Amino acid sequence: MNAVPVIIIGAGPTGLTAATLLGQYGIECLVLDRWASVYPQPRAVHLDDEIYRVLARLGLAEEFAAISRPGHGLRLLDPDMRPLAEFRRGTAQGRHGYPEANMFDQPALEAILRTNLKRYDSVTFRGDTEVTALTQDPAGRVRVDVTDRITSRQDSLYAEYVLGCDGANSLTRTTIGATMGDLKFEQRWLVVDVDTDADLAEWEGVHQVCDPDRAGTYMRVGTTRYRWEFRLAPGETSDDFGDLERLHALIAPWTKDIPVERLQLVRMAEYTFRAQVADRWRDRRLFLLGDAAHLTPPFIGQGMGAGVRDAMNLAWKLAGALSGALPERVLDTYEIERKPHVRALIRLAKLVGMAMTEGGKVGNLARRVLAPRLHLVPGISAHILNSETPALHRCELVVRPRRRRSLAGRLCPNADLGDGRRFDDVAAGRFAVVTSTDPPPDQRTAVQRRGGVLVVAPSGTELGRWLREGRATAATIRPDGTVLRAGRDLSVLCAALPTLGWDER
Ligand SMILES: Cc1cc2nc3c(=O)[nH]c(=O)nc-3n(C[C@H](O)[C@H](O)[C@H](O)COP(=O)(O)OP(=O)(O)OC[C@H]3O[C@@H](n4cnc5c(N)ncnc54)[C@H](O)[C@@H]3O)c2cc1C
């Protein structure tokens, strides 16, 4: 039986992103999910401008704009709901060309991702299909055993590569013998989603209640949709808050005198928030992505984003390896690059969680004294609101000196090129060379011959300034927007472009 180049297990945000990107490269792939339709329960409500940029790359910028609203920043409150500090964020476009914080409802996002997938002929979605076993044979294929959940018919499919985007209880993770390394965080929280046509008239940023006895978060996520999260005390369960009447005491500081009858409880669920990273993300032709590879407490709203980043990191490498344009060994860089990045963000989420909840009365006092003074620390507000994530680690595809700061491993801004287009419109998922000086004809030809894109960015332009601040005059950019190498010798940077052979769109 012929093998499909790629089987993706799981049509959550991670699997759908990977499938769309592979579809854009013309790679044939099959997406399997145990359910035929979108998981209807709300989970993620926030994504940053880097993830918005990926959605735009998938062709969904306008659709996402229609289902999201920009976030306005962060307000810290004490246990009596008095403001401790506030960090306001502009809602204008950031360095990636989109607002830096965006509120939305995960099922609505998954719905537009699924509809969009139909644009790609090389991608097939098969729902109601439970993957029951994965076996790698010596011939370099993966056998994927499936059961049709409607007919109970069992079947075996074959793939050259399998992407395990199968969520927190991943069968792929078990199959490759990976275990979740514990980053030592476990808290039980109550998650509440309410719909109402009444206006809560609250500030449209994230409200963080810093209280060791009842930490809480409130945010508006849609025109009529609101989200609360409350830490549960030992022995408490979601049953203790059973309905809106009993919940009311918790949410009343925000809903004030709005009658309970005008509030519609969309969902109330208890979640145990954990911080975990799988010890290995690959075994030969099987890869782990998304929640299958890592779990984070949601305090900085980065769990789903991490899965989307995994997909963005791996898709172009896999497309290149399958077409023969890139050597198979580039696939080793996936885990090398992504694991430390995700670990850094999980540590940050843990830190935010602990700052909100730890320390008892002493913690409350420290927060009361320190928080109102935070804005006096130079740069702290920018730091707290900064959506930029860490640089990727050095490896074959991130070339940078050991100790010196470099642009390599960071994302090239999706800068305005001054002609109505942004960087991504021009690069469009290919390798690019950005240079502040006009290159000689032989270098222009070299870039074109290798299938790359040349972007000339003189010193007054946004990209020109970015290069100068990075102490470079040119940079080679990967198809996922990450800087492969930056420096001053354009010929070296042009030579860093691999020769591309795959068919883009
Ligand atoms: C309360 C809460 C709040 C959150 N807030 C945020 C936030 O604000 N921002 C953010 O970025 N993230 C947030 N997250 C995290 C986010 O929801 C997850 O990280 C994200 O859904 C993970 O996506 P995924 O595609 O990797 O996995 P999932 O969404 O879990 O998808 C996995 C898919 O695999 C399928 N599947 C599994 N096993 C099999 C099998 N054997 N056969 C066939 N199909 C299978 C499942 O049916 C499912 O569709 C939050 C999570 C929670 C719980």
Side-chain angles (χ1 to χ4, degrees):
M1 192 188 201
N2 281 344
V4 193
V6 184
I7 286 183
I8 297 174
I9 311 174
T14 307
L16 292 170
T17 303
T20 314
L21 290 168
L22 288 170
Q24 290 184 343
Y25 288 115
I27 302 290
E28 195 188 333
C29 59
L30 175 62
V31 185
L32 305 173
D33 201 289
R34 60 165 63 106
W35 306 114
S37 49
V38 166
Y39 180 65
Q41 303 293 15
R43 286 184 290 168
V45 289
H46 163 271
L47 60 79
D48 65 22
D49 51 340
E50 184 185 327
I51 306 306
Y52 202 149
R53 182 177 177 179
V54 178
L55 296 178
R57 170 82 183 273
L58 306 183
L60 289 172
E62 280 175 26
E63 285 86 345
F64 184 67
I67 59 158
S68 63
R69 51 201 299 130
H72 291 210
L74 173 70
R75 179 183 284 171
L76 302 178
L77 301 164
D78 76 2
D80 299 315
M81 301 291 156
R82 290 172 302 195
L84 290 167
E86 191 167 288
F87 305 94
R88 284 186 180 255
R89 179 198 291 288
T91 54
Q93 295 163 345
R95 87 180 74 76
H96 295 302
Y98 302 97
E100 289 179 310
N102 304 278
M103 313 310 291
F104 67 101
D105 182 35
Q106 185 169 338
L109 172 61
E110 290 187 26
I112 60 170
L113 281 164
R114 282 202 185 196
T115 306
N116 188 50
L117 201 58
K118 297 189 183 122
R119 289 170 47 202
Y120 300 97
D121 294 340
S122 64
V123 184
T124 309
F125 169 71
R126 193 168 143 185
D128 287 324
T129 305
E130 180 80 27
V131 175
T132 54
L134 298 163
T135 322
Q136 304 205 55
D137 68 21
R141 293 184 315 178
V142 188
R143 196 181 80 214
V144 181
D145 293 336
V146 296
T147 302
D148 186 307
R149 295 181 64 255
I150 307 293
T151 62
S152 302
R153 196 189 125 106
Q154 296 181 356
D155 202 358
S156 292
L157 312 167
Y158 292 87
E160 290 180 55
Y161 291 95
V162 167
L163 307 189
C165 307
D166 44 355
N169 302 313
S170 165
L171 170 82
T172 317
R173 191 176 66 233
T174 313
T175 306
I176 72 171
T179 50
M180 281 302 220
D182 198 352
L183 299 186
K184 305 220 171 0
F185 184 92
E186 190 170 310
Q187 289 184 0
R188 289 178 320 112
W189 284 64
L190 187 72
V191 178
V192 180
D193 288 272
V194 166
D195 213 74
T196 178
D197 57 5
D199 187 358
L200 270 58
E202 288 286 350
W203 179 65
E204 289 209 20
V206 175
H207 300 203
Q208 206 82 266
V209 185
C210 304
D211 181 357
D213 296 325
R214 178 71 78 201
T217 306
Y218 155 85
M219 53 218 139
R220 182 174 192 173
V221 298
T223 316
T224 59
R225 177 66 68 80
Y226 300 85
R227 156 73 59 90
W228 285 267
E229 293 165 7
F230 298 103
R231 187 175 179 187
L232 290 169
E236 253 179 359
T237 71
S238 55
D239 292 342
D240 295 322
F241 300 92
D243 50 41
L244 257 180
E245 297 292 342
R246 280 181 282 171
L247 252 185
H248 198 244
L250 289 181
I251 64 174
W254 293 274
T255 58
K256 297 177 279 288
D257 49 5
I258 297 171
V260 174
E261 304 76 59
R262 286 191 70 189
L263 306 174
Q264 191 199 335
L265 184 59
V266 178
R267 183 185 192 216
M268 184 181 60
E270 180 182 325
Y271 276 100
T272 301
F273 295 153
R274 294 194 169 87
Q276 296 180 338
V277 179
D279 57 354
R280 55 201 288 241
W281 294 22
R282 178 187 181 190
D283 175 20
R284 291 164 289 162
R285 289 168 176 270
L286 294 181
F287 290 85
L288 297 182
L289 294 85
D291 275 18
H294 40 74
L295 292 173
T296 176
F299 305 125
I300 53 170
Q302 285 289 351
M304 188 195 79
V308 170
R309 286 185 180 96
D310 294 344
M312 187 71 166
N313 186 288
L314 185 55
W316 67 274
K317 295 173 185 171
L318 194 54
L322 279 163
S323 71
L326 295 172
E328 213 263 349
R329 67 170 192 280
V330 298
L331 300 177
D332 293 337
T333 64
Y334 164 63
E335 181 174 341
I336 296 172
E337 292 177 355
R338 287 295 306 137
K339 200 193 260 179
H341 188 273
V342 87
R343 209 181 264 136
L345 286 188
I346 294 176
R347 290 216 171 97
L348 183 61
K350 261 181 66 177
L351 197 71
V352 170
M354 283 155 72
M356 273 199 305
T357 58
E358 298 292 302
K361 287 200 168 60
V362 179
N364 278 347
L365 184 66
R367 282 183 280 269
R368 175 143 286 291
V369 173
L370 294 177
R373 289 163 177 77
L374 278 179
H375 70 281
L376 300 175
V377 182
I380 193 92
S381 185
H383 189 70
I384 287 173
L385 296 176
N386 187 2
S387 67
E388 190 171 3
T389 61
L392 297 183
H393 266 213
R394 290 171 79 232
C395 66
E396 190 182 357
L397 293 173
V398 177
V399 183
R400 68 160 174 256
R402 219 168 249 291
R403 283 195 191 79
R404 219 160 4 100
R405 265 178 69 87
S406 163
L407 294 175
R410 300 197 171 275
L411 282 168
C412 175
N414 186 19
D416 189 339
L417 300 182
D419 59 1
R421 295 179 303 169
R422 287 190 173 268
F423 173 78
D424 286 354
D425 301 328
V426 175
R430 290 170 289 179
F431 278 95
V433 172
V434 178
T435 167
S436 56
T437 53
D438 217 351
D442 59 322
Q443 280 168 1
R444 276 184 180 272
T445 317
V447 173
Q448 275 158 10
R449 240 195 355 251
R450 286 160 189 260
V453 178
L454 189 69
V455 179
V456 180
S459 54
T461 62
E462 195 182 336
L463 278 181
R465 278 194 298 280
W466 168 73
L467 283 171
R468 202 181 56 238
E469 283 159 18
R471 299 198 181 126
T473 53
T476 311
I477 316 296
R478 313 184 329 183
D480 60 3
T482 304
V483 179
L484 188 154
R485 189 171 188 160
R488 294 177 178 278
D489 187 340
L490 191 55
S491 58
V492 170
L493 291 157
C494 290
L497 277 182
T499 307
L500 297 186
W502 78 74
D503 176 27
E504 290 107 9
R505 268 165 278 196

